[in-house]
C-alpha cells in the first residue's frame, strides 16, 4: 500500500466518522424536542415571545463557544450533543404549532417540493 492509498483510506475514515457524528447528533436534537414538548416549553414562548428566543439564542451561542473550546477532547463530543439538545428545545415552538394542524404530522415528516 503506497502513500496515495493511505491518504484515500484516511480521508474515507474521516468522512465516515463525520457522518456517524452527524447521525448521532440527531438523537439529542430529537430528545430536546421531545422534552420541550412534554414540558410545554411553548408556554415560555407565549409568555415572553421576545425574551425567550433571545435567551435561547444566547445559550446556543454560549454553547458553541464551549464546543469550540473543547473540540480537541472527548468532552467536545458531549458539548456538541448538549448544543444539539438545546437546538431541539428551540424546535419545540415550531413543532407544537405544526402538531396543532390537522395535517401536522405530514407537515413535519414529509419534505416539501
Amino acid at each position: 500500500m503506497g502513500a496515495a492509498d493511505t491518504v484515500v483510506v484516511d480521508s474515507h475514515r474521516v468522512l465516515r466518522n463525520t457522518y456517524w457524528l452527524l447521525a448521532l447528533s440527531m438523537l439529542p436534537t430529537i430528545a430536546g424536542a421531545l422534552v420541550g414538548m412534554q414540558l410545554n416549553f411553548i408556554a415560555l414562548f407565549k409568555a415572553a415571545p421576545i425574551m425567550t428566543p433571545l435567551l435561547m439564542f444566547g445559550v446556543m451561542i454560549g454553547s458553541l463557544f464551549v464546543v469550540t473550546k473543547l473540540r480537541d477532547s472527548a468532552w467536545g463530543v458531549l458539548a456538541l450533543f448538549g448544543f444539539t439538545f438545546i437546538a431541539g428545545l428551540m424546535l419545540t415552538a415550531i413543532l407544537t404549532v405544526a402538531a396543532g394542524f390537522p395535517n401536522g404530522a405530514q407537515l413535519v415528516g414529509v419534505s416539501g417540493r
Side-chain angles (χ1 to χ4, degrees):
M1 183 162 22
D5 293 333
T6 304
V7 171
V8 170
V9 169
D10 286 342
S11 69
H12 285 271
R13 182 178 304 130
V14 169
L15 191 60
R16 185 183 67 234
N17 290 344
T18 301
Y19 280 123
W20 267 109
L21 189 58
L22 176 65
L24 287 175
S25 69
M26 292 295 132
L27 297 176
T29 305
I30 294 167
L34 286 174
V35 167
M37 290 182 78
Q38 293 299 317
L39 295 177
N40 195 22
F41 201 66
I42 195 167
L44 284 174
F45 283 90
K46 288 180 179 178
I50 295 174
M51 188 55 82
T52 302
L54 289 176
L55 285 173
M56 290 296 291
F57 283 131
V59 169
M60 288 181 76
I61 290 172
S63 65
L64 281 176
F65 280 106
V66 172
V67 170
T68 302
K69 179 76 174 163
L70 300 173
R71 68 179 169 218
D72 293 328
S73 70
W75 290 104
V77 174
L78 290 176
L80 175 69
F81 289 163
F83 171 77
T84 58
F85 182 84
I86 295 166
L89 284 175
M90 283 292 291
L91 289 173
T92 299
I94 297 169
L95 292 174
T96 303
V97 170
F101 293 136
N103 62 340
Q106 185 180 12
L107 286 172
V108 173
V110 178
S111 64
R113 289 185 183 197

